[in-house]
Amino acid sequence: MKVAFPYLGYDTIALKKFVELLGAESCLGPPLTARTLSLGTKYSPELICLPFKITLGNFIEALEAGADTLLMAAGARKCRFGYYHYLQENILKKIDNRHCFYAISQYTPYEFFFKKMPQIFGVTPQKVIYATWLLLHYSALIDYFRKLIRLTRAYNFYDAQKKELEALRIIENVSSFKEVQKAKKELRKIFSPIINTSNEIIRIGLVGEIYLMLEPFANYEIEKELGKLGVLVVSKRSLYRHLKHLLKLDLFDLRTISNAYKYLKDSPGGEAIKTVGEAHIFAKKNIDGIIHIYPFTCMPENIAYEALQKLARDYEIPILSISIDEHTSKTGLLTRLEAFVEVVKRKKFKG
Amino acid sequence: MKVGIPRALLYYRYGEFWKSFFKCLNVDFIISPPTNKKILDQGVKYVSSEVCLPVKIICGHLDWLKNKATHLFLPRFVELNNGLYTCPKMIGIVDIARFHFQNYFQIISPKIKNNFYWTHFKLGLKLTKNPLKVKNAIDNAQKYLNSYPKLKANGAPKILLLSHFYNIYDYYISQPIIETFKNQGFTIITKEHLDNKRLNSTKGFAKNIRWVYERELYNAFYYFLPQVQGVCNIISFGCGPDSLISEVMLNEAHIQNKPFLQLIIDEHTSATGLITRIEAFCEIIKKRLDNNVSSIIL
C-alpha cells in the first residue's frame, strides 16, 4: 500500500512517520512546483479557493508517482474545506480509477481511532492511538524547530539556511519518543550559538488560514522572505496546535476565543476566530505588525479581514492582509512585504 | 424607538415574518427601499472587494438606514433546523455592521441557533410585557414563512432558475435575467415552488451538504431536473458554498444531458452581457426542442 496525503510544509515529516508507523509506505510524489498548481487549476472549479487547487494537483502528481491510497482531511462545517473531498474524489476518479480515496473526518476522534484508520491500514485501534500519540510528539518537535529557525533567520539568515538542513536531517532520523527528547536537545545545541536577545529587531505576527501558513509553497515562502528582511516572525499556528485543538487538549484555544470575542461574537467558521484572537493577543503584546494571509475569496477569513481592519484602528498596529491565489506573483508579494517592513520599522524607531 | 430593517440578504426570506411580527407588537419600523445603483455604490465602500455581492448590497442598505432609525434589527443566523449552518458571511455580517455603524444605532441581533421561535419570543418579551401578545404575534407572522407561489402549468418550456433568495428576489440583480427568460417565452421555476419537506430532504448528495440554503438549492435542482429544459444558476462572485455545489450540480446536469448555464455576477456585471448570454442559451434550448436532438453537449 502506497499512501499519499497533501504536503504540509515541515509537518510533512511528522505525517510521513505517522503513516509509516501504521505499516504503510508513503508516496507523496515530487515536491510542489508550478506544475502542481497548474495541474490542480486545470481540473478545479473556477471559483474554488487555493488550497483545493494545490492539494488536487498534489494528488494528481502522487498518483503519477505510483500512489494507490489517497488520504484527505474532511469534516463538513461552515468552511468550504470540509467539502473538498467530494469534488476531489470525483475529479480524481476521472483521471485515474485504480486508487482508493479516503476522507478522514477531523471532528470525530472516536471514528478516527476505532473505525476509519484501523479499516484503512488494517491495524488495531491501540496501534492507531499509539501512532497518534507519537505524531503529537513529532509535530511538537517540528513546532519547536520552526520556532528556533524563525529566530535564527531573523538574526543571521544565511547561517539559518545551512543549519536548517542539518536540523531536518536530525528530525528525519527520529523514530521513538526517547529520540524526540534527544533530538530536542540536539536542536537546541545546533541553534544556540547564534541566538542572542537584543531589542533591535522587529517582530511581525503571522495569522491566517492554516494551510497557507504551514505550506511554504502556498504562501510563497513568506516566513523565509521575512527572515531575509531581518524580521522575527511570530506565529501560533502549527500542526501540533491543530492536533491538540482537535483532541481538545489545547488550553491556548480558550484564550484565543476569549480574545476574539471583542471583534467576533460568533465563529464564522474555519480559522477566522483564531486569526482574530491571535491578532488581538499580538496587538496586546506589543508586536510591531501583523501579516494576515488567506486564499482569495476565503469566506471566514474575509470576515476576519473586516475585524482586523477594526483592530488595526483600535490598537494603531500596522496590518497587511494578503490574499493569495494562483495568479499571485512572488515579486509583487515581495515588494509589498518590503514596503510593509519599512512602515513597521519607521513606526517603531521613529523616536 | 424606530427599528430599521435592511431590505437585503435574509429580508427576502423572513421579511414578511418580521413585518407582521413588529406590526403586531406596535413597534415602529422602517425598511430600506429596494436596491438601486446608489445603495450598491455606497455599500461597496464599506467592505473588502472580495466579499460577495449581497454583502456589499446589505452594507449599502445599512448606510441608507443610518440616520433614519434608532435601532437596527439584524439577527445572527448561525444554525437552522438540525444543526445546518447558514454561511460564514451571514454569521459575520452582524460584526461587520457593528464595526461600521455602531455609532449610528443600537444593533438588535438575537442569535438564532436552532431556536427560531424562542429567539423571537425572547425578543418580543423585551418589547412588550405581555407574553400572550408575543405568542400571538409570532403565530400570526408564521403563516408568511411557509407560503409558496403555485406553479402555473402551461405548455411553455420551463427553465429552472437556481439561486439564493437574496439574489432572485432582489430585482436589481435578477431583473434583466428574469425579463430575458420571459421575453424568450420560458416559464421560470425557482426553488420556492417546491414544498418544505422536499426542500429539506436528505436523499443522495444532499445529506452531505451542511449549508441549509445550499441543501435547498440542491434538492430543488435534483427534483426539478427531469421536468425542465434547462438550468440557469446565478452565482455571486466570491460565494463559497455556490462555488462547490454548483460544480456538483453541473456534473449531474452533464450526466443527464441538460443544458446548464452558470452566471457569475458582481457589481461590475453589465446587464447587456447577461442578456446576450441568456439569449444564446435560450437559442440552444429551442434548437434542441425543435430537432429533438439530445446529443448537443454544452
Side-chain angles (χ1 to χ4, degrees), chain A residues 10 99 271 275 284 321 337:
Chain A
Y10 293 119
H99 67 269
E271 269 105 27
T275 298
K284 277 184 189 165
S321 282
L337 286 183

Side-chain angles (χ1 to χ4, degrees), chain A residues 43-49 52 76-81 83-84 86-87 90-91 94 261-269 294-300 302-303 305-308 310 313 323, chain B residues 46-51 76 78-79 85-93 95-96 98-100 102 111 113 205 208-211 235-241 243-245 247-248 251 262 264:
Chain A
Y43 292 104
S44 303
E46 189 184 351
L47 290 174
I48 205 85
C49 43
F52 183 96
R77 285 202 177 175
K78 294 165 209 165
C79 173
R80 264 182 279 187
F81 172 74
Y83 300 81
Y84 277 9
Y86 298 117
L87 283 182
N90 277 338
I91 294 166
K94 280 178 203 162
Y261 188 75
K262 189 180 166 195
Y263 295 99
L264 292 180
K265 296 268 189 271
D266 215 300
S267 164
Y294 59 98
F296 183 61
T297 73
C298 175
M299 300 182 287
N302 262 311
I303 302 297
Y305 168 84
E306 302 295 337
L308 289 186
K310 173 85 171 139
R313 285 197 293 275
S323 73
Chain B
Y46 284 102
V47 278
S48 92
S49 55
E50 269 173 51
V51 297
R76 192 197 292 270
V78 180
E79 281 176 38
Y85 301 105
T86 49
C87 130
K89 279 167 191 160
M90 275 188 217
I91 299 167
I93 186 67
D95 291 312
I96 295 179
R98 217 153 42 83
F99 301 148
H100 295 295
Q102 214 167 20
K111 182 165 145 189
K113 207 168 181 180
F205 186 72
N208 299 329
I209 304 174
R210 296 277 302 274
W211 291 303
I235 306 171
S236 36
F237 180 77
C239 179
S243 69
L244 277 166
I245 307 304
E247 194 66 17
V248 176
N251 286 339
Q262 273 180 334
I264 298 167

Side-chain angles (χ1 to χ4, degrees), chain B residues 17 36 67 74 78 87 94 99 166 174 186 206 209 214 248 252 284:
Chain B
F17 175 87
N36 52 40
N67 287 324
L74 195 64
V78 180
C87 130
V94 185
F99 301 148
Y166 45 77
S174 67
F186 283 88
I209 304 174
E214 294 300 323
V248 176
E252 193 104 343
I284 287 173

Side-chain angles (χ1 to χ4, degrees), chain A residues 129-230:
Chain A
I129 291 172
Y130 172 67
T132 314
W133 179 73
L134 265 184
L135 172 64
L136 212 58
H137 287 289
Y138 291 150
S139 55
L141 178 66
I142 288 164
D143 192 23
Y144 183 66
F145 159 69
R146 288 179 69 197
K147 227 177 262 170
L148 289 174
I149 191 99
R150 276 183 203 132
L151 201 61
T152 319
R153 269 180 199 149
Y155 288 100
N156 192 341
F157 180 75
Y158 293 100
D159 210 20
Q161 291 292 85
K162 261 182 256 160
K163 295 196 169 167
E164 183 185 343
L165 292 175
E166 205 179 322
L168 283 178
R169 209 170 300 132
I170 291 171
I171 294 171
E172 259 164 32
N173 288 333
V174 169
S175 60
S176 70
F177 177 66
K178 259 184 196 164
E179 281 176 39
V180 171
Q181 306 303 327
K182 225 171 90 190
K184 232 175 208 176
K185 263 179 212 157
E186 272 176 66
L187 286 184
R188 209 175 297 148
K189 213 180 280 166
I190 291 173
F191 286 104
S192 64
I194 39 173
I195 295 171
N196 54 11
T197 46
S198 66
N199 278 328
E200 290 299 300
I201 201 152
I202 60 168
R203 293 183 299 164
I204 287 184
L206 194 65
V207 294
E209 197 268 344
I210 189 162
Y211 182 76
L212 285 199
M213 286 178 69
L214 292 188
E215 175 53 53
F217 174 74
N219 61 28
Y220 294 86
E221 299 189 317
I222 195 166
E223 285 189 21
K224 229 177 233 179
E225 297 301 339
L226 283 171
K228 218 185 249 175
L229 295 171

